[in-house]
Amino acid sequence: MTRLAMLDCDGALVDGPANICAIEEACVSVGLTPPPRALIRRIDGLSLIKAMRALRPAGDGAQHRALAGRHPSKPDRAMLLAGMAKAGVAPHMTAMIGDISFDMTMARSAGCRAVGVAWGYHSTDKLADSGADAIAQHASDLVAMLA
């Protein structure tokens, strides 16, 4: 039985294309040409520092580091471990629900169930190849998957 469900936000719960537009607008606002959308989709789930390195590999490393988040980037399990510790729930009673391969890899490395969702950024084949224990085709599928 799952006692704790941790969910990825972008792509799994909210509309990811709005975030792609935000990245494009941010680039334009500082005089940069936005990267291709396909590249922006591939960085979803990464920490800001890794995302910036992927989108602007010629950028200043000090700037990249200064903007990094406090947790390592997915697929590092640090975020899941911190959430489980705060909730007081063991990995075998936790499910990570997400739409990208990084979410599945992170869940597996933390000892959690890895539950993919078919409506996000990565294909169901990629989710399965990354270790998904189950893949929900619709949000209503999650109820039975987490029982």
Side-chain angles (χ1 to χ4, degrees):
M1 179 171 125
T2 302
R3 290 192 51 217
L4 176 64
M6 298 184 73
L7 294 104
D8 172 59
C9 184
D10 180 38
L13 290 179
V14 297
D15 183 16
N19 293 328
I20 291 173
C21 292
I23 291 172
E24 292 171 335
E25 289 172 17
C27 288
V28 170
S29 74
V30 295
L32 299 172
T33 301
R37 286 186 171 195
L39 179 58
I40 295 171
R41 288 184 191 279
R42 284 198 302 266
I43 58 97
D44 178 58
L46 296 177
S47 67
L48 188 53
I49 191 169
K50 286 190 177 183
M52 288 182 63
R53 285 180 183 151
L55 295 174
R56 297 284 170 211
D60 183 310
Q63 291 172 343
H64 293 170
R65 286 187 298 280
L67 293 170
R70 64 183 176 169
H71 290 290
S73 179
K74 292 178 185 178
D76 189 288
R77 62 189 182 168
M79 287 184 278
L80 279 179
L81 295 176
M84 288 185 289
K86 188 167 187 154
V89 178
H92 72 279
M93 299 185 89
T94 302
M96 172 63 203
I97 302 167
D99 68 311
I100 61 173
S101 59
F102 300 132
D103 297 324
M104 303 303 103
T105 304
M106 179 175 61
R108 303 298 289 186
S109 71
C112 303
R113 288 190 58 225
V115 179
V117 297
W119 54 85
Y121 281 133
H122 289 181
S123 70
T124 55
D125 287 342
K126 190 162 186 168
L127 294 172
D129 290 346
S130 299
D133 294 305
I135 300 173
Q137 297 299 315
H138 303 282
S140 59
D141 297 340
L142 292 170
V143 174
M145 290 178 175
L146 298 176

